[in-house]
């Protein structure tokens, strides 16, 4: 009977997709930290906080609801857009909340500013709800240009939306990829809400 030496099994190798994901995550963290560190001495925190407030759902929900249920809405030229905006804000918070709950990515370590009262899923970072919300509003207003809502000020709405989205990284609230994906979610949401109410 021959004594065969058995070689130890090869250690399991990580799948390529997991290695790629780790590489992208590390790149995202590095880019985010670099942007935050470089701009921190240059941009006053109060400006970033102000941008945060302008994209907050605690501002937009009461604003849209008050316009819907006040006499002022009868004087608004585009009052028919209020209900789609409200529906879009609801679908936005539902989509972002679901993704945050499933992914559960922690916020950046340098997120040191108090966040105030938030929902439980808001302790997670991916995707950015602010970026999603402001890009939904900008994209929806842009799509409604063919409904007579056009004008040069639509460009300013996009400037506000993109500035607010970028500020989430500079303020330390989110990683770059959180903001990119959040912005995409907002634009896609705007397209579906617009098509639903248009047709």
């Amino acid at each position: 009977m021959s004594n065969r030496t058995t070689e130890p099994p090869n250690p399991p190798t990580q799948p390529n997709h997991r290695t790629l994901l780790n590489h992208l995550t590390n790149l995202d963290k590095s880019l985010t930290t670099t942007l935050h560190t470089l701009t921190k001495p240059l941009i006053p925190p109060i400006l970033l906080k102000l941008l945060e407030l302008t994209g907050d759902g605690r501002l937009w929900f009461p604003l849209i609801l008050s316009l819907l249920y006040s006499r002022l809405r009868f004087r608004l030229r585009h009052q028919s857009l209020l209900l789609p905006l409200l529906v879009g804000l609801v679908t936005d918070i539902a989509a972002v909340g679901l993704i945050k709950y499933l992914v559960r990515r922690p916020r950046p370590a340098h997120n040191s500013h108090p966040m105030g009262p938030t929902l439980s899923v808001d302790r997670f970072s991916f995707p950015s709800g602010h970026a999603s919300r402001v890009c939904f509003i900008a994209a929806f207003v842009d799509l409604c240009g063919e409904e007579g809502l056009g004008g040069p000020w639509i460009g300013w709405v996009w400037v506000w939306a993109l500035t607010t989205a970028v500020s989430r990284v500079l303020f330390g609230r989110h990683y770059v990829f959180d903001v990119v994906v959040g912005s995409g979610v907002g634009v896609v949401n705007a397209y579906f809400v617009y098509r639903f109410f248009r047709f």
Side-chain angles (χ1 to χ4, degrees):
M1 190 170 175
S2 61
N3 290 335
R4 290 186 178 177
T5 57
T6 56
E7 295 182 5
N10 292 329
T13 57
Q14 271 193 325
N16 287 337
H17 65 86
R18 178 58 90 183
T19 305
L20 178 61
L21 181 61
N22 288 341
H23 177 69
L24 291 175
T25 301
N26 291 335
L27 180 64
D28 188 28
K29 289 180 178 179
S30 175
L31 179 59
T32 299
T33 304
T34 301
L35 288 171
H36 175 71
T37 304
L38 287 175
T39 58
K40 189 174 182 180
L42 305 174
I43 303 176
I46 188 69
L47 176 60
L48 298 174
K49 185 65 178 177
L50 180 61
L51 286 168
E52 179 175 73
L53 293 174
T54 65
D56 200 318
R58 290 170 292 187
L59 168 69
W60 285 98
F61 276 105
L63 178 64
I64 299 295
L65 285 170
S66 63
L67 288 175
L68 269 172
Y69 292 102
S70 72
R71 295 188 178 190
L72 178 61
R73 71 188 177 99
F74 295 108
R75 300 190 187 101
L76 292 175
R77 183 179 169 193
H78 303 289
Q79 58 180 324
S80 61
L81 300 180
L82 293 175
L83 182 59
L85 271 173
L86 182 62
V87 169
L89 290 172
V90 171
T91 54
D92 174 77
I93 200 169
V96 169
L98 178 62
I99 298 170
K100 283 188 175 190
Y101 178 78
L102 293 174
V103 176
R104 296 172 179 246
R105 184 185 196 185
R107 288 188 182 266
H110 52 261
N111 177 33
S112 57
H113 297 278
M115 294 183 61
T118 58
L119 299 174
S120 60
V121 291
D122 279 332
R123 68 180 183 271
F124 302 122
S125 187
F126 179 86
S128 167
H130 275 70
S132 177
R133 189 175 304 111
V134 297
C135 286
F136 160 73
I137 293 168
F140 183 77
V141 168
D142 200 346
L143 287 167
C144 291
E146 60 189 60
E147 306 297 328
L149 194 62
W153 60 273
I154 289 182
W156 289 108
V157 176
W158 272 113
V159 168
W160 160 73
L162 296 176
T163 303
T164 302
V166 170
S167 76
R168 307 306 290 155
V169 175
L170 307 185
F171 201 34
R173 298 295 197 213
H174 290 281
Y175 296 100
V176 171
F177 196 56
D178 302 342
V179 169
V180 171
V181 173
S183 301
V185 169
V187 170
V188 170
N189 183 34
Y191 175 79
F192 281 111
V193 169
Y194 173 76
R195 300 301 290 183
F196 179 80
F197 280 93
R198 180 71 177 83
F199 297 104

